[in-house]
Structures are given as C-alpha cells and as structure tokens.
C-alpha cells in the first residue's frame, strides 16, 4: 500500500456527496459529470445548458481554489504520450456516453439511489479498469 | 438564475472535493486499480464517503414533493440492463485504467492549468459526440 490517505479521501468523498445532495435538493438533478458535460452542448433549452455550464465552471473554479492553497504535484509518467491521452480521452467520452454515466453519475448518485443499472455499471467499469491496469502493466513492463 | 447559482455552488464544492480526495491525481487512480501491485485503497474511501453522504441526504431529499428551484426531480427512467450499458462501462473502465482520468477529475483539473487535462477533455468531448453520431437511443 502506497500513499494511503483514508481521512483526506473520506473528507473529499463527503464533499462530493454534499455537492450531489445540493444539486438534487435545490435543482432536482443528478450530479453525473459526463452527462452534465455532454449536456452543455446538447441539452434541450438555454436554461438547461446554462446550469450545466455553471456546474462545469464551478468544478474548474473548485479545482483552482484547492490548487491555489495546496498545490498538487503529479509525478510525470514516462509511458504517457499525447497520442495515448487522446485515445484514452476518446474512449472515456465514447464509453460514458454509451453507458449513460461515469464514476459520479453511476458510481455515486446511482448507487446512492440503489439503482440496479448503476450498480451493474459501477461494478463493470471498476472491473474493466482493474483488468486494464493489469494488462497494461504487462505491456509496458513495469 | 437561482438554478444557475446553485449549480455553480455545487460545482465548486464538487471540484474542491475531487481535489481534496486526490481523485485528480491519475497516478493515485491507477494505483487504486492496481490491486495486484502497489494497491492504494484511498479511492474506496472517496467513493464510500460520497455514497454514504448522498444515500443519507437523498432519503431526506426524496421525502420532499419537489426540489427547491424546480418542479420535479429528474431521475433516469431507463431501468433495463442492456448491451449498451455494459459495453459503455467496459470501454470507460478501460480508458480510465490506461490514462487514470475519469470525467469529473479531468474537468476539475483544468483549473490546475495542466496541458494533459486539456488534451483529455477535448478528446473526451470528441468521443461523446462520436457516440451520439453513431448510436441513437
């Protein structure tokens, strides 16, 4: 186990839960990031597009605020190339659109509503991620 | 206007939560998925903390007739576990495992000014559009 941070993670998770609760309590919407991001462009009306854009801007501001006080340094990865990032991004975008959700929409909001669809989706992407990391490590030989 | 403001506030809280929990660090995400290697279970606590909070809050929220700034709760109506859900989740998991980003963290990390995040966000948007163009629900 490396760099295990249970308390920070639990606190961060609680904040994410509070955010999902604010969005449901006030606006009646699921805090699913992939859906919100896609909806900025494809939602039915200006109002629907506007709150999604506001959420995305908030997300970026939230990241920036944290970074301002507690800079995060991410160790560079030798195996990562621009091409790989592009392919990865494409697959993530395609997969979340096809499966109607990601870690937040299915993994947090869906599981919290005891949605069977979301439970199955969450178990599937976790398993897929674990298998992928295992296979990928063999390929890059680390 | 209030709907937009509340979404902005929710977004900021979400972004701080993602950064605080270190979900924005792709190395940490990959270490979480690397159960046969140097496994870092931290992200289980992120998911656990978020699900616990949301489950409790949702119970209270859904006991109300409607949200504060809208006429109804908009919840997914699709119940069927179909091939699209499964293939989509497998693809997402694979992309997540290779680059270590999922949609929330990569958008939040745009606020860090990393070039990596921008590349992933743009290609992710392209992937979403591509899916919409190919598959029509």
């Amino acid at each position: 186990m490396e760099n295990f941070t249970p308390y920070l993670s639990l606190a961060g998770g609680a904040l994410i839960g509070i955010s999902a609760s604010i969005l449901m309590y006030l606006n009646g919407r699921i805090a699913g990031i992939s859906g919100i991001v896609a909806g900025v462009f494809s939602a039915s009306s200006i109002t629907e597009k506007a709150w999604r854009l506001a959420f995305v801007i908030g997300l970026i501001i939230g990241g920036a605020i944290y970074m301002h006080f507690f800079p995060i340094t991410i160790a560079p990865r030798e195996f990562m190339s621009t091409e790989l990032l592009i392919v990865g991004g494409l697959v993530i975008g395609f997969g979340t659109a096809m499966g109607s959700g990601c870690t937040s929409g299915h993994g947090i909001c869906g599981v919290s509503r005891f949605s069977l669809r979301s439970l199955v989706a969450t178990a599937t992407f976790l398993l897929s991620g674990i298998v992928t990391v295992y296979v990928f490590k063999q390929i890059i030989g680390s | 206007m209030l709907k937009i403001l509340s979404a902005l506030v929710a977004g900021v809280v979400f972004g701080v939560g993602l950064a605080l929990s270190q979900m924005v660090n792709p190395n940490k995400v990959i270490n979480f998925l690397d159960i046969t290697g140097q496994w870092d279970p931290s992200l289980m606590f992120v998911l656990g903390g978020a699900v616990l909070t949301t489950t409790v809050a949702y119970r209270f929220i859904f006991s109300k007739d409607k949200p504060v700034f809208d006429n109804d709760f908009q919840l997914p109506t699709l119940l069927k576990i179909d091939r699209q859900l499964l293939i989509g989740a497998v693809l997402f998991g694979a992309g997540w495992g290779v680059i270590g980003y999922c949609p929330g963290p990569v958008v939040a990390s745009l606020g860090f000014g990393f070039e990596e995040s921008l590349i992933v966000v743009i290609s992710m948007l392209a992937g979403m559009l591509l899916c919409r163009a190919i598959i029509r629900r």
Side-chain angles (χ1 to χ4, degrees), chain A residues 21-83:
Chain A
S21 308
I22 292 173
L23 200 63
M24 186 58 77
Y25 180 62
L26 297 179
N27 291 6
R29 297 299 199 280
I30 296 275
I33 311 300
S34 58
I36 290 177
V37 168
V40 170
F41 303 96
S42 65
S44 53
S45 68
I46 285 288
T47 333
E48 286 300 309
K49 286 191 173 107
W51 77 257
R52 288 179 170 88
L53 183 63
F55 187 94
V56 169
I57 292 171
L59 202 55
I60 298 170
I61 294 175
I65 292 174
Y66 184 90
M67 188 72 166
H68 179 75
F69 292 106
F70 312 99
I72 294 174
T73 43
I74 294 168
R77 303 175 281 178
E78 313 85 54
F79 66 88
M80 197 54 69
S81 63
T82 305
E83 290 81 1

Side-chain angles (χ1 to χ4, degrees), chain A residues 77-81 84 128-142, chain B residues 30 94-100:
Chain A
R77 303 175 281 178
E78 313 85 54
F79 66 88
M80 197 54 69
S81 63
L84 199 56
S128 166
I130 288 168
V131 172
T132 303
V133 167
Y134 182 78
V135 173
F136 195 67
K137 267 178 62 179
Q138 312 297 317
I139 296 171
I140 62 170
S142 77
Chain B
I30 289 173
W96 193 34
V98 172
I99 65 173

Side-chain angles (χ1 to χ4, degrees), chain A residues 3 19 26-28 117 128 137, chain B residues 6 10 28 69 74 80 90:
Chain A
N3 310 312
S19 164
L26 297 179
N27 291 6
R117 242 176 87 82
S128 166
K137 267 178 62 179
Chain B
S6 53
K28 203 166 171 73
F69 301 136
Q74 290 202 0
K80 218 174 78 192
V90 167

Side-chain angles (χ1 to χ4, degrees), chain B residues 82-135:
Chain B
D82 52 12
R83 202 180 296 171
Q84 282 195 14
L85 179 83
L86 296 174
I87 297 173
V90 167
L91 285 175
F92 163 49
W96 193 34
V98 172
I99 65 173
Y101 285 111
C102 55
V106 76
V107 172
S109 67
L110 282 176
F112 302 172
F114 295 152
E115 194 190 10
E116 241 187 52
S117 322
L118 191 63
I119 297 171
V120 177
V121 168
I122 292 171
S123 40
M124 184 176 86
L125 286 171
M128 288 172 173
L129 285 174
L130 192 68
C131 178
R132 266 164 207 276
I134 297 174
I135 305 163

